């Protein structure tokens, strides 16, 4: 590591302080793509709407004509910032230039920008920066540094030969100078959000990093450099899981889940698949319970307005946060390592050494009692966060049982608060026998490892938790540790989606060299069709055991895995 890279972690805590408190931010995708809004010449163009130029293979000169009609009369920076504040968001990240190459700011290095190429002649980056500064919300910028389908040499344009050029020259004459303009012309910039680092070697990334010093407080995401070259340079300040929430967060790293409101980043007229307010709030709470931030995207319409559905939903979230902000802002990941069907927990360390534990209840059990397995500290007191109604919490055999008052019908998520005398040490909660005497290994029980770009990830919650990104066989590892109550033979099955594999073998490697391997052939199933497959029979010894799951495949399509189920087999007495 070079000297410069060594310095970054030293002041990172200082730079990250506001961000770690913030928990909730607004992503804004806006550009020329917002005008066609998913439709080109009367035809709906698939994929993300902001990719329309690429997907419809629109020639550069033709696409550039959109700039003549770029006149976002309803882009009101103060109103956007006000909405973000009402939503309880603490920062905003705007697409200063997306892959289409059109800059939403005055640029001296390219006239393809909203000031020089459009009738509106407005610097939207400047307008938003000023509005953020007025109310004290943190201002951040997304910049597509590698892909640029307009400027010659920019990566990603395979359809228009007139755009061909030298990539390094593009970096030196457009991308790096524009980042310099962004960091130099708009006052404090808190976040720089790079994206799709195609061809981005350590040396090329270095040219951008040299400019970062213009903003000493700048937080940079992890998408400046390609995965394979990241080891040689700084990995950035933040991990950026996109449209999913990693089951256990990103241990040891600051992270931010960015998510679409519907199924596009850019505005698409036909996409009304808005996530419900409740889903968004659960996502926020789920992310907070794992120590991350939620960057929720709004795709502005071509005229610069916020879709009303989004505004209404954001205000409801803000309304809830107004009463429950204590359980989200500035909290840390909850202490529980396993899923809890009733909801999620966050915690706050108090100066006197006590700990406030926040229980976000999104699925109240019929009994009104939720259990906190493995928690061996007797709570000093308990109450509901929004009403102050007392809550009783008592030590049980398994941990602590919390008796909730009746559901508060007015709240999307009820929050119970427990004051604990100290830091809760949670005993590791291993998979246990279910009612049928089986051992069920959930994705949430798995220890996952692998190289950065081929690491298994767990998506989905509770019963739908799924291990995905199981691509390059032999590079990833999935291991389960659990207690076997009784030695003997166990039938091993797995809930898998194997799609149209030519051939796939799945092995579970047990202790003492025991293995079960089963080969599957193309089944004609869809990629997301899960079914339970029998892998075979394995002899297990009693006590703590580790099992490893592996697969070999002849196709690069990923495999999806949910539960592994071990069923005891009664051995017949020898005759
Ligand atoms: C990128 C962009 O291409 C997209 O338009 C949007 O801006 C989004 C936030 O970022 O899309 C990506 C980038 C990375 C992955 C997937 C889509 N990824 O790592 O899977």
């Amino acid at each position: 590591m070079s000297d410069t890279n060594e310095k970054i972690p030293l002041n990172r805590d200082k730079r990250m302080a506001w961000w770690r408190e913030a928990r909730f931010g607004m992503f804004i995708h806006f550009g020329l793509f917002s005008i066609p809004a998913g439709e080109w010449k009367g035809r709906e163009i698939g994929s993300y709407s902001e990719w329309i130029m690429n997907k419809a293979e629109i020639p550069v000169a033709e696409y550039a004509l959109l700039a003549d009609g770029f006149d976002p009369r309803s882009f009101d920076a103060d109103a956007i910032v006000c909405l973000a504040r009402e939503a309880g968001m603490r920062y905003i990240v705007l697409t200063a230039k997306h892959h289409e190459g059109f800059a939403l700011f005055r640029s001296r290095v390219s006239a393809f920008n909203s000031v020089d190429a459009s009738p509106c002649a407005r610097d939207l980056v400047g307008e938003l920066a000023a509005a953020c500064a007025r109310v004290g919300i943190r201002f951040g910028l997304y910049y597509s540094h590698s892909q640029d389908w307009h400027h010659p040499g920019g990566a990603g344009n395979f359809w228009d030969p007139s755009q061909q050029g030298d990539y390094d020259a593009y970096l030196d004459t457009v991308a790096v100078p524009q980042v310099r303009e962004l960091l130099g012309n708009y006052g404090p910039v808190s976040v720089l959000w790079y994206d799709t680092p195609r061809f981005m070697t350590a040396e090329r990334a270095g040219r951008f990093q040299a400019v970062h010093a213009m903003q000493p407080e700048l937080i940079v995401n992890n998408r400046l450099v390609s995965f394979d070259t990241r080891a040689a340079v700084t990995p950035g300040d933040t991990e950026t899981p996109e449209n999913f929430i990693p089951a256990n967060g990103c241990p040891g790293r600051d992270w931010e889940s960015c998510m679409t409101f519907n199924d596009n980043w850019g505005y698409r007229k036909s996409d009304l698949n808005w996530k419900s307010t409740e889903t968004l709030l659960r996502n926020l709470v789920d992310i907070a319970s794992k120590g991350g931030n939620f960057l929720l995207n709004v795709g502005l319409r071509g005229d610069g307005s916020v879709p009303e559905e989004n505004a209404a939903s954001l205000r409801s979230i803000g309304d809830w946060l107004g009463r429950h902000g204590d359980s989200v802002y500035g909290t840390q990941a909850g202490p529980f390592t396993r899923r809890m069907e009733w909801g999620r927990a966050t915690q706050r360390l108090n100066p006197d050494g006590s700990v406030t534990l926040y229980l976000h209840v999104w699925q109240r059990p019929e009994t009104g009692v939720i259990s906190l397995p493995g928690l061996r500290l007797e709570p000093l007191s308990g109450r509901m966060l929004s009403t102050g109604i007392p809550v009783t919490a008592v030590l049980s055999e398994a941990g602590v049982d919390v008796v909730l008052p009746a559901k508060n019908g007015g709240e999307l998520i009820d929050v119970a608060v427990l004051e604990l005398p100290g830091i809760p040490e949670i005993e590791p909660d291993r998979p246990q026998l279910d009612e049928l005497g089986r051992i069920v290994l959930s994705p949430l029980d798995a220890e996952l490892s692998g190289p950065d770009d081929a690491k298994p990830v767990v998506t989905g919650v509770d019963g739908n938790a799924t291990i995905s990104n199981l691509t390059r066989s032999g590079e990833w590892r999935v291991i389960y540790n659990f207690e076997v109550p009784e030695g003997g033979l166990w039938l091993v099955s797995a809930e898998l989606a194997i799609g149209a594999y030519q051939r796939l073998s799945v092995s579970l490697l047990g202790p003492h060299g025991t293995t079960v391997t089963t080969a599957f052939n193309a089944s004609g199933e869809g990629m997301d069709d899960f079914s339970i497959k029998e892998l075979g029979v394995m002899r297990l010894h009693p006590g703590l055991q580790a099992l490893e799951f592996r697969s070999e495949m002849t196709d690069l399509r990923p495999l999806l895995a949910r539960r592994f189920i071990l069923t005891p087999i009664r051995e017949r007495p020898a005759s």
Side-chain angles (χ1 to χ4, degrees), residues 248-312:
N248 299 307
C250 303
R253 295 277 292 156
D254 289 296
W255 65 278
E256 172 193 70
S257 236
C258 55
M259 249 183 231
T260 47
F261 229 111
N262 48 1
D263 297 314
N264 286 269
W265 298 95
Y267 178 65
R268 179 188 288 273
K269 219 183 320 172
S270 65
D271 183 359
L272 300 175
N273 192 26
W274 308 119
K275 293 179 180 71
S276 69
T277 306
E278 185 162 19
T279 296
L280 294 169
L281 202 51
R282 281 193 188 199
N283 288 343
L284 175 62
V285 162
D286 191 13
I287 290 167
S289 80
K290 293 159 186 172
N293 281 7
F294 187 24
L295 187 64
L296 175 58
N297 181 69
V298 172
L300 299 183
R301 293 201 193 94
D303 67 357
S305 59
V306 175
E308 288 77 28
E309 295 93 333
N310 300 176

Side-chain angles (χ1 to χ4, degrees), residues 41-170:
K41 297 185 174 161
R43 207 158 55 88
E44 185 86 19
I45 307 298
S47 176
Y48 287 145
S49 59
E50 71 280 7
W51 276 70
I52 194 165
M53 179 181 179
N54 178 300
K55 294 295 163 183
E57 301 185 17
I58 304 169
V60 171
E62 189 182 345
Y63 190 84
L65 295 176
L66 284 172
D68 297 337
F70 187 72
D71 190 14
R73 285 166 194 272
S74 300
F75 182 95
D76 179 344
D78 285 310
I80 291 171
V81 169
C82 177
L83 176 63
R85 286 245 306 191
E86 281 184 87
M89 291 163 151
R90 299 278 170 91
Y91 61 110
I92 297 184
V93 179
L94 168 71
T95 52
K97 185 198 82 172
H98 204 266
H99 309 331
E100 64 178 10
F102 184 70
L104 300 183
F105 57 99
R106 176 194 302 277
S107 175
R108 302 283 174 207
V109 298
S110 166
F112 194 49
N113 69 70
S114 58
V115 180
D116 299 312
S118 289
C120 71
R122 287 168 65 183
D123 186 321
L124 304 181
V125 168
E127 291 179 22
L128 195 65
C132 284
R134 278 195 281 278
V135 297
I137 199 163
R138 294 277 180 163
F139 177 62
L141 292 165
Y142 168 110
Y143 185 83
S144 178
H145 61 309
S146 178
Q147 282 204 83
D148 186 315
W149 307 326
H150 176 90
H151 295 98
N157 186 329
F158 57 85
W159 62 92
D160 184 348
S162 78
Q163 188 268 353
Q164 273 174 26
D166 185 75
Y167 179 66
D168 282 297
Y170 154 76

Side-chain angles (χ1 to χ4, degrees), residues 341-360:
E341 310 243 313
W342 51 262
R344 294 290 182 273
T346 58
Q347 60 183 330
R348 184 190 303 280
L349 265 110
N350 302 313
D352 65 356
S354 69
V355 167
T356 307
L357 186 62
Y358 300 97
L359 309 172
H360 300 81

Side-chain angles (χ1 to χ4, degrees), residues 32 73 172 192 251 259 271 305 339 352 419 435 439 456 514:
L32 298 181
R73 285 166 194 272
D172 291 338
L192 188 52
M259 249 183 231
D271 183 359
S305 59
R339 92 219 84 157
D352 65 356
E419 300 295 346
E435 329 71 73
I439 300 170
T514 47

